[in-house]
Amino acid sequence: MNRTLIISGLLVSVIALTACDRVFQRPADTSGTGPAATEAPDAAVAEPGAQLPVRPESASSGAVIDWEAARRDLASRSADDLEGSFSVQSGGDAPPVPVFLPSGPVAAQSGDVAVRFQPTSDGYYAFFPSEAYDIIVNGTNVVMTEPGAGAAPARTEAFSFQPTTNGAQVAFSRYGADYLVEFECKELVNGMPACITEEEAVAFARDLAISGTR
């Protein structure tokens, strides 16, 4: 699969471009109260500063993040690896989880397509449009359990694929945080999403790179 994202040359104001990379800057006011829920593309590309949706919560607790390991892995990325890829503001103002974003270069095209990156109180939400499907990457430090279900299941670094009614999603954990990569198909075939295979979805999630940390 060609994992190069085709996006607009006109980006939202939260993203500052440099000659070598695209740096997502944290907005001055981040009032989100939980992980962003997956909505239709129109909702995902709302005007900058709009309140992101909140997932319904059940019992929850905070995760313990291995920041030292995250910083070590970010520092190990080579200059060649970083060139042309996304990077995120690091340090005390960074999101409360290590940030994973696409590692490959981004080829801009003409048009007016909104790319979103939004830190939240528990993690972050990123939206990337492409031709066949839109991609949403969520990271959270909240451990969610169903009411009455007892302890949360053990985290795993394995990539877990699951088809959805409008595409597919891949879940994984790193450094104590949980991540969900969602693929929303723009067209259905016989009423079913068929824009991405399990192999392609897992490969995309596996190629995400740590791009920012505290």
Side-chain angles (χ1 to χ4, degrees):
M1 179 183 73
N2 180 0
R3 303 185 191 97
T4 298
L5 300 180
I6 305 302
I7 67 170
S8 166
L10 180 60
L11 303 183
V12 291
S13 60
V14 296
I15 301 177
L17 296 181
T18 69
C20 297
D21 58 13
R22 286 83 174 162
V23 181
F24 289 131
Q25 299 293 341
R26 181 183 179 91
D29 178 19
T30 55
S31 57
T33 57
T38 302
E39 294 202 32
D42 287 345
V45 296
E47 290 296 325
Q51 179 68 39
L52 290 174
V54 179
R55 293 185 190 278
E57 288 194 4
S58 50
S60 64
S61 61
V64 177
I65 305 298
D66 189 347
W67 292 109
E68 182 178 352
R71 287 190 290 267
R72 183 172 59 247
D73 290 347
L74 179 61
S76 70
R77 293 187 65 183
S78 67
D80 290 341
D81 181 38
L82 291 170
E83 184 176 358
S85 66
F86 286 103
S87 61
V88 191
Q89 182 177 359
S90 292
D93 290 333
V97 296
V99 175
F100 281 89
L101 293 172
S103 59
V106 178
Q109 68 175 16
S110 60
D112 187 8
V113 181
V115 173
R116 292 285 310 275
F117 179 85
Q118 177 66 58
T120 64
S121 62
D122 64 275
Y124 70 95
Y125 165 101
F127 174 87
F128 304 93
S130 70
E131 291 182 350
Y133 47 81
D134 292 328
I135 303 159
I136 298 170
V137 183
N138 295 281
T140 181
N141 63 8
V142 175
V143 180
M144 303 298 296
T145 60
E146 293 300 325
R155 280 180 162 83
T156 173
E157 293 196 356
F159 293 88
S160 174
F161 173 86
Q162 183 177 350
T164 64
T165 56
N166 63 344
Q169 63 184 30
V170 177
F172 66 96
S173 297
R174 291 290 187 278
Y175 311 116
D178 290 332
Y179 300 88
L180 184 67
V181 186
E182 301 171 89
F183 305 89
E184 297 185 344
C185 296
K186 294 187 174 180
E187 294 184 5
L188 301 181
V189 177
N190 297 324
M192 298 295 294
C195 62
I196 190 167
T197 66
E198 177 175 354
E199 180 182 18
E200 291 169 337
V202 171
F204 183 92
R206 194 183 303 275
D207 283 350
L208 293 176
I210 183 169
S211 304
T213 184
R214 288 189 171 181

